Amino acid sequence: MLIYDLDFSALENKLKEWNEPAYRAKQIWQGLYVHLYSSPEQFTNLSKPLREKMAEHFSFSNFKIRTFLDSSDKSTRKTLFELPDGNLIETVLMRYGDPADDPAGLTSKYTNEIGSSKKRRTLCISTQAGCAMGCVFCATGQMGFKRNLSSGEIVAQVIYYAQMLKEKNETVTNVVFMGMGEPFHNYDNSMAAIDRLNDSNGFNFGARRFTVSTVGLVPQIKKFADEQRQVNLAISLHAADDDERTEIMPVNKKYKIDEVIQACKYYIEKTNRRVTFEWALINGVNDTPEVAGKLASRLKGLLCHVNAIPLNPTQGYDGEATSRERANQFKETLEKAGIPCTIRMRRGIDINAGCGQLAGSQTKNPR
Ligand code: SAH
Ligand code: SF4
């Protein structure tokens, strides 16, 4: 069993079962999440037999590193992990300077400030192998659904990079659930991973430094709101008209734009937190001033922000990225109507860092 699959009380129970004193659970938890030990031998404060028992019962990583790639400017590292059943998932580290108004750390205009004292280390993590939602522009969607990741497999992606950064005296500053998969389609494991990493006796990663991005699953948005989590919420909207959205995002057949926006209103009322709408700008499809105007009227009065990014072209979809001019025009139209908008530039384009792109290419051409 992957050790990161245990929450603290499960670890306590395990140690009770082994007739170990209760404080051992705390020692192991701290070893895992404070000292970031990656093997039982490192737990020198435990007895040798206990370390051996840990090694026998738990694995500290069930990933094989299939490959990793650094972008040419070294700001982005993407790792492709192979799970024990052969499924592939991706986790991306993005290094930023000090964006002032970008809680998720997604803006790249500060890339040149790498090395400044206020560095951001944003991890983009996966929650599923593949995805069942079938958004046509998305490499993960094109791959179909393979399986949910366990909470420990989600946690382990963060720990892997945290261990790597620790060697350079750096830490992960933000975690975004924007890798492969739909976090709200694997709700319990995604939330359990957040809780485990949030634990103040362990990894102690602040709730506000997580961002969960969803395709817009309405019941889960409401549940998330009811739980009053301090985690940031992003909604992938990409169209302002139901027919147009259904064409690129089949989930829209089930949950129409109005319903999604109503659920966001509910979330804002419950949490008083700003919602981010994600928008992949596709040339001639959803980047026109008319579409921007329609979007602005839909979002009017909502405590929100639009994060627009030129489409990352994928093999399975003909759409092209919008031009910089059109992107700026889109932003201006929204902002004139009172909707704040950020244009993010694509990162790691030379390493297939778009969601699911590397795993997709490896699945088709296994090495
Ligand atoms: N399933 C979740 C989170 C993972 S996708 C969701 O859809 O929100 C993370 C973000 O990448 C989403 O906003 C998604 O719409 C966007 N995305 C997917 N494929 C893309 C592409 N080819 N170009 C730009 N953005 C893309
Ligand atoms: Fe799944 Fe998100 Fe990709 Fe849609 S955009 S297919 S929900 S991963």
Short mmCIF file of all heavy atoms in Angstrom, two decimals, residues 124-128 130-131 133 135-142 176-185 211-216 234-238 245 249 277-282 307 309-315 317 319 344 346 354-357, ligand 1:
data_model
loop_
_atom_site.label_atom_id
_atom_site.label_comp_id
_atom_site.label_asym_id
_atom_site.label_seq_id
_atom_site.Cartn_x
_atom_site.Cartn_y
_atom_site.Cartn_z
N CYS A 124 1.12 21.69 -11.08
CA CYS A 124 -0.14 21.35 -11.73
C CYS A 124 -0.28 19.83 -11.65
O CYS A 124 0.52 19.10 -12.25
CB CYS A 124 -0.06 21.84 -13.17
SG CYS A 124 -1.51 21.48 -14.12
N ILE A 125 -1.25 19.35 -10.89
CA ILE A 125 -1.31 17.92 -10.59
C ILE A 125 -2.53 17.25 -11.23
O ILE A 125 -3.52 17.90 -11.56
CB ILE A 125 -1.30 17.65 -9.07
CG1 ILE A 125 -2.52 18.28 -8.39
CG2 ILE A 125 -0.02 18.17 -8.42
CD1 ILE A 125 -2.69 17.84 -6.94
N SER A 126 -2.43 15.94 -11.38
CA SER A 126 -3.49 15.14 -12.00
C SER A 126 -4.34 14.46 -10.93
O SER A 126 -3.83 14.12 -9.86
CB SER A 126 -2.88 14.06 -12.91
OG SER A 126 -2.18 14.66 -13.98
N THR A 127 -5.61 14.25 -11.25
CA THR A 127 -6.51 13.56 -10.32
C THR A 127 -7.05 12.25 -10.90
O THR A 127 -7.63 11.45 -10.18
CB THR A 127 -7.72 14.44 -9.94
OG1 THR A 127 -8.37 14.85 -11.15
CG2 THR A 127 -7.27 15.66 -9.16
N GLN A 128 -6.88 12.09 -12.21
CA GLN A 128 -7.34 10.86 -12.86
C GLN A 128 -6.34 10.52 -13.96
O GLN A 128 -5.64 11.40 -14.46
CB GLN A 128 -8.72 11.06 -13.52
CG GLN A 128 -9.82 11.43 -12.54
CD GLN A 128 -11.15 11.68 -13.24
OE1 GLN A 128 -11.22 12.34 -14.28
NE2 GLN A 128 -12.23 11.17 -12.65
N GLY A 130 -6.41 9.86 -17.61
CA GLY A 130 -7.44 10.15 -18.61
C GLY A 130 -8.55 10.98 -18.00
O GLY A 130 -8.42 11.50 -16.89
N CYS A 131 -9.64 11.13 -18.75
CA CYS A 131 -10.78 11.90 -18.26
C CYS A 131 -12.03 11.49 -19.03
O CYS A 131 -11.96 11.23 -20.23
CB CYS A 131 -10.53 13.40 -18.43
SG CYS A 131 -11.87 14.43 -17.79
N MET A 133 -14.72 13.37 -19.42
CA MET A 133 -15.57 14.50 -19.79
C MET A 133 -15.55 14.83 -21.29
O MET A 133 -16.44 15.51 -21.78
CB MET A 133 -15.18 15.75 -18.97
CG MET A 133 -15.34 15.55 -17.47
SD MET A 133 -17.07 15.26 -17.01
CE MET A 133 -16.91 13.87 -15.92
N CYS A 135 -13.95 16.83 -23.39
CA CYS A 135 -13.83 18.15 -24.03
C CYS A 135 -12.97 17.97 -25.29
O CYS A 135 -11.87 17.40 -25.20
CB CYS A 135 -13.17 19.15 -23.07
SG CYS A 135 -14.03 19.26 -21.50
N VAL A 136 -13.46 18.46 -26.42
CA VAL A 136 -12.84 18.06 -27.69
C VAL A 136 -11.44 18.64 -27.90
O VAL A 136 -10.62 18.07 -28.61
CB VAL A 136 -13.73 18.41 -28.91
CG1 VAL A 136 -15.06 17.69 -28.83
CG2 VAL A 136 -13.93 19.91 -29.04
N PHE A 137 -11.17 19.78 -27.25
CA PHE A 137 -9.90 20.47 -27.47
C PHE A 137 -8.80 19.95 -26.55
O PHE A 137 -7.66 20.38 -26.62
CB PHE A 137 -10.08 21.98 -27.21
CG PHE A 137 -10.76 22.25 -25.90
CD1 PHE A 137 -10.05 22.26 -24.71
CD2 PHE A 137 -12.15 22.46 -25.84
CE1 PHE A 137 -10.67 22.47 -23.50
CE2 PHE A 137 -12.78 22.68 -24.63
CZ PHE A 137 -12.04 22.68 -23.46
N CYS A 138 -9.15 19.02 -25.65
CA CYS A 138 -8.24 18.64 -24.57
C CYS A 138 -7.60 17.28 -24.83
O CYS A 138 -8.30 16.29 -25.10
CB CYS A 138 -9.04 18.61 -23.26
SG CYS A 138 -8.11 17.89 -21.90
N ALA A 139 -6.28 17.23 -24.74
CA ALA A 139 -5.56 15.98 -25.02
C ALA A 139 -5.98 14.87 -24.04
O ALA A 139 -6.07 13.70 -24.42
CB ALA A 139 -4.06 16.22 -24.93
N THR A 140 -6.25 15.24 -22.79
CA THR A 140 -6.68 14.22 -21.82
C THR A 140 -8.07 13.71 -22.18
O THR A 140 -8.34 12.50 -22.11
CB THR A 140 -6.69 14.80 -20.39
OG1 THR A 140 -5.46 15.45 -20.14
CG2 THR A 140 -6.91 13.71 -19.36
N GLY A 141 -8.93 14.62 -22.56
CA GLY A 141 -10.29 14.24 -22.97
C GLY A 141 -10.26 13.30 -24.18
O GLY A 141 -11.03 12.34 -24.26
N GLN A 142 -9.34 13.58 -25.08
CA GLN A 142 -9.23 12.76 -26.31
C GLN A 142 -8.80 11.33 -25.99
O GLN A 142 -9.06 10.40 -26.74
CB GLN A 142 -8.23 13.42 -27.27
CG GLN A 142 -8.76 14.73 -27.87
CD GLN A 142 -7.65 15.63 -28.40
OE1 GLN A 142 -6.52 15.19 -28.60
NE2 GLN A 142 -7.96 16.90 -28.60
N VAL A 176 -2.24 23.54 -8.22
CA VAL A 176 -3.47 23.68 -9.00
C VAL A 176 -3.90 22.31 -9.52
O VAL A 176 -3.08 21.54 -10.03
CB VAL A 176 -3.32 24.71 -10.15
CG1 VAL A 176 -2.96 26.09 -9.59
CG2 VAL A 176 -2.29 24.31 -11.18
N PHE A 177 -5.18 22.01 -9.38
CA PHE A 177 -5.72 20.74 -9.88
C PHE A 177 -6.12 20.95 -11.34
O PHE A 177 -7.29 21.06 -11.67
CB PHE A 177 -6.92 20.32 -9.03
CG PHE A 177 -6.55 19.78 -7.67
CD1 PHE A 177 -6.01 20.61 -6.71
CD2 PHE A 177 -6.74 18.44 -7.36
CE1 PHE A 177 -5.66 20.11 -5.44
CE2 PHE A 177 -6.41 17.93 -6.10
CZ PHE A 177 -5.86 18.77 -5.15
N MET A 178 -5.10 21.08 -12.17
CA MET A 178 -5.33 21.39 -13.58
C MET A 178 -4.56 20.46 -14.49
O MET A 178 -4.33 20.75 -15.65
CB MET A 178 -4.93 22.83 -13.89
CG MET A 178 -5.83 23.84 -13.22
SD MET A 178 -5.47 25.49 -13.81
CE MET A 178 -6.55 26.45 -12.76
N GLY A 179 -4.10 19.36 -13.94
CA GLY A 179 -3.43 18.37 -14.77
C GLY A 179 -4.48 17.47 -15.41
O GLY A 179 -5.56 17.91 -15.77
N MET A 180 -4.16 16.19 -15.50
CA MET A 180 -5.11 15.28 -16.16
C MET A 180 -6.28 14.97 -15.24
O MET A 180 -6.11 14.78 -14.04
CB MET A 180 -4.39 13.99 -16.51
CG MET A 180 -3.30 14.21 -17.56
SD MET A 180 -2.26 12.76 -17.75
CE MET A 180 -3.39 11.66 -18.58
N GLY A 181 -7.46 14.92 -15.85
CA GLY A 181 -8.63 14.46 -15.10
C GLY A 181 -9.50 15.57 -14.55
O GLY A 181 -9.12 16.74 -14.53
N GLU A 182 -10.68 15.17 -14.12
CA GLU A 182 -11.67 16.11 -13.59
C GLU A 182 -11.77 15.88 -12.06
O GLU A 182 -12.31 14.89 -11.60
CB GLU A 182 -13.02 15.84 -14.29
CG GLU A 182 -14.23 16.48 -13.65
CD GLU A 182 -14.10 17.98 -13.38
OE1 GLU A 182 -13.56 18.72 -14.22
OE2 GLU A 182 -14.51 18.41 -12.29
N PRO A 183 -11.20 16.82 -11.29
CA PRO A 183 -11.15 16.61 -9.83
C PRO A 183 -12.52 16.36 -9.19
O PRO A 183 -12.62 15.58 -8.25
CB PRO A 183 -10.52 17.89 -9.29
CG PRO A 183 -10.32 18.80 -10.44
CD PRO A 183 -10.52 18.05 -11.70
N PHE A 184 -13.57 17.01 -9.72
CA PHE A 184 -14.89 16.81 -9.12
C PHE A 184 -15.54 15.49 -9.56
O PHE A 184 -16.59 15.12 -9.04
CB PHE A 184 -15.80 18.01 -9.42
CG PHE A 184 -15.53 19.20 -8.52
CD1 PHE A 184 -14.54 19.14 -7.54
CD2 PHE A 184 -16.27 20.37 -8.64
CE1 PHE A 184 -14.29 20.23 -6.70
CE2 PHE A 184 -16.03 21.46 -7.80
CZ PHE A 184 -15.05 21.39 -6.84
N HIS A 185 -14.92 14.82 -10.51
CA HIS A 185 -15.39 13.47 -10.87
C HIS A 185 -14.66 12.43 -10.01
O HIS A 185 -14.96 11.24 -10.06
CB HIS A 185 -15.13 13.23 -12.37
CG HIS A 185 -15.73 11.97 -12.92
ND1 HIS A 185 -15.10 11.21 -13.87
CD2 HIS A 185 -16.90 11.33 -12.65
CE1 HIS A 185 -15.84 10.16 -14.16
NE2 HIS A 185 -16.94 10.20 -13.44
N THR A 211 -5.82 25.50 -5.90
CA THR A 211 -6.91 25.87 -6.80
C THR A 211 -7.45 24.59 -7.45
O THR A 211 -6.67 23.81 -8.02
CB THR A 211 -6.42 26.83 -7.90
OG1 THR A 211 -5.95 28.04 -7.29
CG2 THR A 211 -7.55 27.16 -8.88
N VAL A 212 -8.75 24.39 -7.32
CA VAL A 212 -9.37 23.24 -7.97
C VAL A 212 -10.09 23.75 -9.21
O VAL A 212 -10.88 24.70 -9.14
CB VAL A 212 -10.37 22.54 -7.02
CG1 VAL A 212 -11.14 21.46 -7.76
CG2 VAL A 212 -9.62 21.93 -5.85
N SER A 213 -9.81 23.13 -10.34
CA SER A 213 -10.45 23.53 -11.59
C SER A 213 -11.43 22.44 -12.01
O SER A 213 -11.08 21.26 -12.05
CB SER A 213 -9.38 23.72 -12.67
OG SER A 213 -9.97 24.03 -13.90
N THR A 214 -12.65 22.84 -12.33
CA THR A 214 -13.66 21.87 -12.74
C THR A 214 -14.31 22.26 -14.06
O THR A 214 -14.42 23.44 -14.39
CB THR A 214 -14.76 21.70 -11.67
OG1 THR A 214 -15.77 20.82 -12.19
CG2 THR A 214 -15.41 23.02 -11.29
N VAL A 215 -14.74 21.25 -14.76
CA VAL A 215 -15.46 21.41 -16.01
C VAL A 215 -16.87 21.98 -15.75
O VAL A 215 -17.53 22.43 -16.68
CB VAL A 215 -15.49 20.03 -16.73
CG1 VAL A 215 -16.46 19.08 -16.04
CG2 VAL A 215 -15.78 20.13 -18.20
N GLY A 216 -17.28 21.97 -14.49
CA GLY A 216 -18.58 22.54 -14.13
C GLY A 216 -19.60 21.51 -13.69
O GLY A 216 -20.76 21.53 -14.14
N ALA A 234 -11.90 27.24 -9.78
CA ALA A 234 -11.87 27.70 -11.17
C ALA A 234 -12.85 26.85 -11.97
O ALA A 234 -12.96 25.64 -11.74
CB ALA A 234 -10.46 27.56 -11.74
N ILE A 235 -13.54 27.50 -12.89
CA ILE A 235 -14.53 26.80 -13.71
C ILE A 235 -14.10 26.92 -15.16
O ILE A 235 -13.87 28.04 -15.65
CB ILE A 235 -15.93 27.45 -13.57
CG1 ILE A 235 -16.34 27.61 -12.10
CG2 ILE A 235 -16.97 26.72 -14.40
CD1 ILE A 235 -16.88 26.39 -11.43
N SER A 236 -14.02 25.81 -15.86
CA SER A 236 -13.67 25.85 -17.29
C SER A 236 -14.94 26.14 -18.08
O SER A 236 -15.80 25.27 -18.20
CB SER A 236 -13.08 24.51 -17.72
OG SER A 236 -11.91 24.27 -16.98
N LEU A 237 -15.03 27.35 -18.60
CA LEU A 237 -16.28 27.74 -19.27
C LEU A 237 -16.12 27.64 -20.80
O LEU A 237 -16.86 26.92 -21.44
CB LEU A 237 -16.65 29.16 -18.82
CG LEU A 237 -18.11 29.55 -18.93
CD1 LEU A 237 -19.00 28.59 -18.16
CD2 LEU A 237 -18.33 30.98 -18.42
N HIS A 238 -15.23 28.39 -21.37
CA HIS A 238 -14.83 28.32 -22.77
C HIS A 238 -15.90 28.70 -23.80
O HIS A 238 -15.60 28.76 -25.00
CB HIS A 238 -14.26 26.94 -23.15
CG HIS A 238 -13.17 26.45 -22.25
ND1 HIS A 238 -12.05 27.19 -21.96
CD2 HIS A 238 -13.02 25.28 -21.57
CE1 HIS A 238 -11.26 26.50 -21.15
NE2 HIS A 238 -11.82 25.36 -20.88
N ARG A 245 -21.12 25.74 -26.39
CA ARG A 245 -20.38 25.03 -25.34
C ARG A 245 -20.57 23.53 -25.49
O ARG A 245 -19.62 22.75 -25.34
CB ARG A 245 -20.84 25.51 -23.95
CG ARG A 245 -19.93 25.00 -22.82
CD ARG A 245 -20.17 25.76 -21.52
NE ARG A 245 -19.16 25.45 -20.50
CZ ARG A 245 -19.33 24.56 -19.53
NH1 ARG A 245 -20.46 23.89 -19.42
NH2 ARG A 245 -18.36 24.34 -18.66
N MET A 249 -17.75 20.96 -25.34
CA MET A 249 -17.73 20.35 -24.00
C MET A 249 -19.02 19.56 -23.78
O MET A 249 -20.05 20.13 -23.38
CB MET A 249 -17.57 21.43 -22.92
CG MET A 249 -16.31 22.27 -23.10
SD MET A 249 -16.18 23.61 -21.92
CE MET A 249 -15.80 22.73 -20.41
N PHE A 277 -12.96 31.98 -14.00
CA PHE A 277 -13.45 31.26 -15.17
C PHE A 277 -12.29 31.07 -16.15
O PHE A 277 -11.61 32.03 -16.49
CB PHE A 277 -14.60 32.01 -15.83
CG PHE A 277 -15.85 31.99 -14.99
CD1 PHE A 277 -16.17 33.08 -14.19
CD2 PHE A 277 -16.68 30.88 -14.96
CE1 PHE A 277 -17.30 33.05 -13.37
CE2 PHE A 277 -17.80 30.84 -14.15
CZ PHE A 277 -18.12 31.93 -13.35
N GLU A 278 -12.10 29.81 -16.53
CA GLU A 278 -11.02 29.49 -17.45
C GLU A 278 -11.57 29.56 -18.88
O GLU A 278 -12.69 29.11 -19.14
CB GLU A 278 -10.50 28.07 -17.20
CG GLU A 278 -9.94 27.84 -15.81
CD GLU A 278 -8.56 28.45 -15.62
OE1 GLU A 278 -7.74 28.41 -16.56
OE2 GLU A 278 -8.32 29.00 -14.53
N TRP A 279 -10.74 30.10 -19.76
CA TRP A 279 -11.21 30.30 -21.14
C TRP A 279 -10.05 30.04 -22.10
O TRP A 279 -9.08 30.82 -22.13
CB TRP A 279 -11.71 31.75 -21.28
CG TRP A 279 -12.55 31.99 -22.50
CD1 TRP A 279 -12.09 32.22 -23.75
CD2 TRP A 279 -13.97 32.02 -22.57
NE1 TRP A 279 -13.15 32.39 -24.61
CE2 TRP A 279 -14.32 32.27 -23.90
CE3 TRP A 279 -14.99 31.85 -21.64
CZ2 TRP A 279 -15.64 32.38 -24.33
CZ3 TRP A 279 -16.31 31.95 -22.06
CH2 TRP A 279 -16.62 32.20 -23.39
N ALA A 280 -10.10 28.95 -22.84
CA ALA A 280 -9.07 28.68 -23.85
C ALA A 280 -9.48 29.39 -25.13
O ALA A 280 -10.52 29.07 -25.72
CB ALA A 280 -8.96 27.17 -24.09
N LEU A 281 -8.70 30.36 -25.55
CA LEU A 281 -9.07 31.18 -26.72
C LEU A 281 -8.77 30.43 -28.01
O LEU A 281 -7.61 30.14 -28.33
CB LEU A 281 -8.31 32.50 -26.68
CG LEU A 281 -8.80 33.50 -25.61
CD1 LEU A 281 -7.73 34.54 -25.33
CD2 LEU A 281 -10.10 34.17 -26.06
N ILE A 282 -9.83 30.10 -28.73
CA ILE A 282 -9.70 29.33 -29.97
C ILE A 282 -10.01 30.27 -31.13
O ILE A 282 -11.08 30.89 -31.17
CB ILE A 282 -10.67 28.12 -29.98
CG1 ILE A 282 -10.58 27.34 -28.65
CG2 ILE A 282 -10.40 27.22 -31.19
CD1 ILE A 282 -11.68 26.29 -28.46
N ASN A 307 -9.70 33.98 -16.65
CA ASN A 307 -8.33 33.61 -16.99
C ASN A 307 -8.35 33.06 -18.40
O ASN A 307 -8.84 31.95 -18.62
CB ASN A 307 -7.91 32.48 -16.03
CG ASN A 307 -6.66 32.83 -15.27
OD1 ASN A 307 -5.81 33.59 -15.74
ND2 ASN A 307 -6.56 32.26 -14.09
N ILE A 309 -6.48 31.90 -21.96
CA ILE A 309 -5.19 31.39 -22.42
C ILE A 309 -5.36 30.94 -23.87
O ILE A 309 -6.34 30.27 -24.20
CB ILE A 309 -4.72 30.22 -21.52
CG1 ILE A 309 -3.39 29.64 -22.00
CG2 ILE A 309 -5.75 29.11 -21.40
CD1 ILE A 309 -2.75 28.69 -20.99
N PRO A 310 -4.45 31.34 -24.75
CA PRO A 310 -4.59 30.86 -26.13
C PRO A 310 -4.57 29.33 -26.14
O PRO A 310 -3.78 28.72 -25.43
CB PRO A 310 -3.35 31.43 -26.82
CG PRO A 310 -2.92 32.58 -25.98
CD PRO A 310 -3.30 32.23 -24.57
N LEU A 311 -5.42 28.74 -26.93
CA LEU A 311 -5.51 27.28 -27.01
C LEU A 311 -4.14 26.66 -27.24
O LEU A 311 -3.34 27.16 -28.02
CB LEU A 311 -6.43 26.88 -28.18
CG LEU A 311 -6.60 25.37 -28.39
CD1 LEU A 311 -7.64 24.82 -27.44
CD2 LEU A 311 -6.98 25.07 -29.84
N ASN A 312 -3.90 25.57 -26.57
CA ASN A 312 -2.72 24.75 -26.82
C ASN A 312 -3.15 23.74 -27.87
O ASN A 312 -3.94 22.85 -27.55
CB ASN A 312 -2.40 24.02 -25.52
CG ASN A 312 -0.93 24.04 -25.20
OD1 ASN A 312 -0.10 24.07 -26.09
ND2 ASN A 312 -0.64 24.00 -23.92
N PRO A 313 -2.69 23.84 -29.09
CA PRO A 313 -3.21 22.92 -30.13
C PRO A 313 -2.92 21.46 -29.77
O PRO A 313 -1.87 21.15 -29.23
CB PRO A 313 -2.45 23.35 -31.38
CG PRO A 313 -1.94 24.71 -31.10
CD PRO A 313 -1.70 24.78 -29.62
N THR A 314 -3.85 20.59 -30.06
CA THR A 314 -3.68 19.15 -29.80
C THR A 314 -3.94 18.38 -31.09
O THR A 314 -4.64 18.87 -31.98
CB THR A 314 -4.66 18.66 -28.73
OG1 THR A 314 -5.99 19.01 -29.14
CG2 THR A 314 -4.39 19.27 -27.37
N GLN A 315 -3.43 17.15 -31.12
CA GLN A 315 -3.56 16.34 -32.33
C GLN A 315 -5.00 16.07 -32.74
O GLN A 315 -5.33 16.04 -33.91
CB GLN A 315 -2.85 15.00 -32.11
CG GLN A 315 -1.41 15.05 -32.50
CD GLN A 315 -0.81 13.67 -32.61
OE1 GLN A 315 -1.46 12.66 -32.31
NE2 GLN A 315 0.43 13.62 -33.03
N TYR A 317 -7.73 17.75 -32.44
CA TYR A 317 -8.67 18.87 -32.61
C TYR A 317 -8.09 19.90 -33.56
O TYR A 317 -6.92 20.28 -33.43
CB TYR A 317 -8.94 19.49 -31.22
CG TYR A 317 -9.86 20.69 -31.24
CD1 TYR A 317 -11.18 20.59 -31.69
CD2 TYR A 317 -9.41 21.94 -30.78
CE1 TYR A 317 -12.03 21.70 -31.68
CE2 TYR A 317 -10.25 23.06 -30.77
CZ TYR A 317 -11.56 22.92 -31.22
OH TYR A 317 -12.39 24.01 -31.22
N GLY A 319 -8.87 23.08 -33.98
CA GLY A 319 -8.83 24.49 -33.57
C GLY A 319 -7.41 25.01 -33.40
O GLY A 319 -6.49 24.25 -33.10
N ARG A 344 -3.15 34.62 -19.89
CA ARG A 344 -1.98 33.85 -19.52
C ARG A 344 -1.33 33.41 -20.82
O ARG A 344 -2.03 33.02 -21.75
CB ARG A 344 -2.38 32.54 -18.82
CG ARG A 344 -3.12 32.66 -17.57
CD ARG A 344 -3.07 31.32 -16.89
NE ARG A 344 -4.30 30.55 -16.99
CZ ARG A 344 -4.34 29.25 -17.22
NH1 ARG A 344 -3.24 28.57 -17.47
NH2 ARG A 344 -5.48 28.61 -17.23
N ARG A 346 0.96 30.71 -22.89
CA ARG A 346 1.18 29.27 -22.75
C ARG A 346 2.59 29.00 -22.27
O ARG A 346 3.53 29.63 -22.73
CB ARG A 346 0.94 28.57 -24.09
CG ARG A 346 -0.52 28.52 -24.45
CD ARG A 346 -0.70 28.03 -25.84
NE ARG A 346 -0.24 29.02 -26.79
CZ ARG A 346 -0.01 28.76 -28.06
NH1 ARG A 346 -0.18 27.57 -28.53
NH2 ARG A 346 0.37 29.71 -28.87
N GLY A 354 0.87 21.11 -22.23
CA GLY A 354 -0.59 21.22 -22.16
C GLY A 354 -1.14 19.96 -21.54
O GLY A 354 -0.56 18.88 -21.67
N CYS A 355 -2.26 20.13 -20.87
CA CYS A 355 -2.93 19.05 -20.16
C CYS A 355 -3.03 17.76 -20.96
O CYS A 355 -3.67 17.70 -22.00
CB CYS A 355 -4.31 19.62 -19.82
SG CYS A 355 -5.57 18.49 -19.34
N GLY A 356 -2.34 16.73 -20.52
CA GLY A 356 -2.49 15.41 -21.14
C GLY A 356 -1.70 15.19 -22.42
O GLY A 356 -1.74 14.11 -22.98
N GLN A 357 -0.97 16.20 -22.84
CA GLN A 357 -0.36 16.07 -24.17
C GLN A 357 0.79 15.06 -24.22
O GLN A 357 0.94 14.35 -25.18
CB GLN A 357 0.12 17.43 -24.66
CG GLN A 357 -1.04 18.29 -25.07
CD GLN A 357 -0.57 19.56 -25.72
OE1 GLN A 357 0.27 20.25 -25.19
NE2 GLN A 357 -1.10 19.86 -26.87
N1 SAH B 1 -10.79 18.85 -15.67
C1 SAH B 1 -10.56 20.11 -15.09
C2 SAH B 1 -9.11 20.38 -14.76
C3 SAH B 1 -8.08 19.89 -15.72
S1 SAH B 1 -7.98 20.74 -17.24
C4 SAH B 1 -11.12 21.20 -15.96
O1 SAH B 1 -11.45 20.94 -17.11
O2 SAH B 1 -11.25 22.31 -15.48
C5 SAH B 1 -7.21 22.28 -16.79
C6 SAH B 1 -7.56 23.44 -17.71
O3 SAH B 1 -6.93 23.27 -18.99
C7 SAH B 1 -9.05 23.56 -17.99
O4 SAH B 1 -9.45 24.90 -17.90
C8 SAH B 1 -9.14 23.04 -19.41
O5 SAH B 1 -10.30 23.48 -20.04
C9 SAH B 1 -7.87 23.58 -19.99
N2 SAH B 1 -7.45 22.96 -21.25
C10 SAH B 1 -7.60 21.69 -21.63
N3 SAH B 1 -7.09 21.50 -22.86
C11 SAH B 1 -6.59 22.69 -23.26
C12 SAH B 1 -5.93 23.14 -24.43
N4 SAH B 1 -5.69 22.31 -25.44
N5 SAH B 1 -5.56 24.43 -24.51
C13 SAH B 1 -5.80 25.28 -23.48
N6 SAH B 1 -6.41 24.90 -22.34
C14 SAH B 1 -6.81 23.63 -22.22
#
